[in-house]
Amino acid sequence: MGAIAAALQACRARIEVACAASGRGPDCARLLAVSKTFPAEAVRQAHAAGQRLFGESYAQEALPKIESLADLPLEWHFIGPLQSNKTRVIAEHFHWLHSLDRESLARRLSRQRPAHLPPLNVCIQVNVSGEASKHGVPPSEALPLAQALAALPNLRLRGLMAIPEPTPDLARLRGRFREVAILLEQARRLGLSLDTLSMGMSADLEAAIMEGATMVRVGSAIFGARDYNTNQEQSS
Ligand SMILES: *Cc1c(COP(=O)(O)O)cnc(C)c1O
């Protein structure tokens, strides 16, 4: 078995154990393989090992990769910081966007979504750690934004995404994830039909699943350490 196939298997086992521990079914969280900075060939290997959902953070890097893998039935998720000059690439080439944090960009994406494609699935990114440098809306703005998005014809709001700051304090980390889960519950009580909590990465997927994550975004635990020097978009 290749290294990527073995790592995928190990990752799926972690998810299964965490799902069981959370009291939900063994498939309670879907695995999004984050392939940013890795070549199309690595994605091809992961697909051969049964992986279908892939995440990318940089539109310029993702586009040639997506095009060169068009022969495979993959589902592409954009998870990186959202910039207004990149919305068209996302609207035209991705199935999901996890990092929506502005109504103006949501309107743009809805306008730019090609008519022959189903609505773009979106998650609102919530800034649960309150760090000025992080993207995402403050928790207090998540529900108003969710309600505004519901009216846009070519977007389908699926849920919330968050990246809490890393901390060795497990209780604190779980508290951050729980905040997001509570927000999702509140949005549902407003009548929005949402099914996705995108949270948890290589280092903290267990904590996220314990708090209700339905999709974990895992990069380095599958593909290995990233080398950002190969990525020209990193500084933009
Ligand atoms: C890179 C990235 C990940 C994957 O991180 P790992 O620690 O490598 O698993 C997950 N989510 C987002 C938004 C990312 O940018």
Side-chain angles (χ1 to χ4, degrees):
M1 194 188 307
I4 289 175
L8 267 171
Q9 199 174 67
C11 190
R12 291 191 192 113
R14 281 175 68 188
I15 292 171
E16 207 171 306
V17 168
C19 283
S22 78
R24 297 184 287 154
D27 298 324
C28 75
R30 297 209 290 163
L31 173 58
L32 177 63
V34 177
S35 50
K36 66 183 180 205
T37 78
F38 291 97
E41 182 49 35
V43 174
R44 221 170 255 289
Q45 283 177 33
H47 172 262
Q51 182 62 29
R52 203 171 67 83
L53 279 52
F54 291 90
E56 288 283 335
S57 292
Y58 312 103
Q60 252 158 264
E61 180 204 344
L63 188 51
K65 224 185 274 187
I66 292 172
E67 286 175 340
S68 74
L69 293 163
D71 57 310
L72 300 179
L74 306 179
E75 190 176 284
W76 290 102
H77 294 233
F78 191 85
I79 61 173
L82 189 54
Q83 298 168 328
S84 55
N85 61 345
K86 300 289 161 51
T87 55
R88 184 173 295 281
V89 172
I90 294 164
E92 292 181 351
H93 297 276
F94 283 81
H95 303 86
W96 282 68
L97 165 68
H98 291 228
S99 47
L100 192 60
D101 59 4
R102 260 167 297 166
E103 191 181 340
S104 60
L105 296 186
R107 292 186 181 283
R108 246 174 111 87
L109 286 158
S110 184
R111 271 199 312 274
Q112 291 172 338
R113 184 69 168 170
H116 68 278
L117 295 178
L120 179 67
N121 296 291
V122 300
C123 291
I124 292 173
Q125 182 173 354
V126 183
N127 182 347
V128 275
S129 295
E131 295 161 283
S133 65
K134 285 274 169 63
H135 298 266
V137 295
S140 62
E141 290 171 23
L143 299 187
L145 180 56
Q147 287 181 298
L149 297 192
L152 296 177
N154 300 320
L155 301 187
R156 181 173 168 210
L157 181 62
R158 298 294 296 263
L160 304 176
M161 181 273 236
I163 315 172
E165 64 187 315
T167 166
D169 181 345
L170 185 61
R172 187 185 167 91
L173 181 65
R174 284 189 55 170
R176 297 301 196 194
F177 286 133
R178 194 172 315 134
E179 259 188 75
V180 191
I182 289 168
L183 268 179
L184 187 80
E185 230 8 86
Q186 289 171 344
R188 282 182 173 146
R189 279 204 293 273
L190 293 174
L192 299 169
S193 90
L194 306 178
D195 60 9
T196 302
L197 263 184
S198 165
M199 53 188 202
M201 319 201 296
S202 293
D204 60 10
L205 68 87
E206 284 85 359
I209 288 173
M210 288 306 287
E211 297 299 341
T214 65
M215 200 181 300
V216 292
R217 309 175 310 270
V218 179
S220 47
I222 296 171
F223 296 108
R226 282 183 292 276
D227 175 6
Y228 280 109
N229 294 324
T230 59
N231 185 345
Q232 305 108 20
E233 240 184 308
Q234 182 62 10
S235 58
S236 68

